[in-house]
Amino acid sequence: MMINNSIKHIQNALKELDDEVQKILLDWSIPLNEKDNLMLPILQQKRVLDQTLEDLIYLKEHPPTPNQPCGISKYRED
């Protein structure tokens, strides 16, 4: 199933981002304020991936019925 592959890829990406954060935290040659600057974009990416992962897990557990409109069209302008 495609959702399972996507979930797996996102989990792998989250692990890689966690590893990057750990490397930054454990590197004593980087000043604290620089660590914050380096980690901010990583943490922002993690937040987006966490939300995407939650959405995919929800979809996996609550699949839409076939031929059901996704609902996005009500947000689009014609």
Side-chain angles (χ1 to χ4, degrees):
M1 182 179 225
M2 198 159 143
I3 287 182
N4 287 334
N5 276 347
S6 297
I7 289 172
K8 204 177 303 176
H9 287 302
I10 291 173
Q11 288 170 330
N12 289 339
L14 283 166
K15 176 164 180 0
E16 287 176 21
L17 290 174
D18 283 338
D19 291 346
E20 276 188 60
V21 168
Q22 283 304 309
K23 273 188 228 164
I24 293 168
L25 287 173
L26 296 174
D27 188 339
W28 295 103
S29 68
I30 303 172
L32 275 178
N33 61 336
E34 185 60 26
K35 285 183 183 193
D36 288 345
N37 293 336
L38 291 170
M39 288 193 308
L40 183 63
I42 297 171
L43 296 174
Q44 289 171 330
Q45 289 175 47
K46 275 184 55 80
R47 193 167 34 243
V48 170
L49 286 174
D50 281 330
Q51 184 61 59
T52 304
L53 183 60
E54 276 182 42
D55 293 347
L56 285 173
I57 290 171
Y58 179 85
L59 272 176
K60 181 181 170 187
E61 293 171 356
H62 307 90
T65 56
N67 300 322
Q68 176 184 350
C70 71
I72 196 72
S73 58
K74 66 184 162 199
Y75 299 108
R76 291 188 184 143
E77 295 180 15
D78 290 338

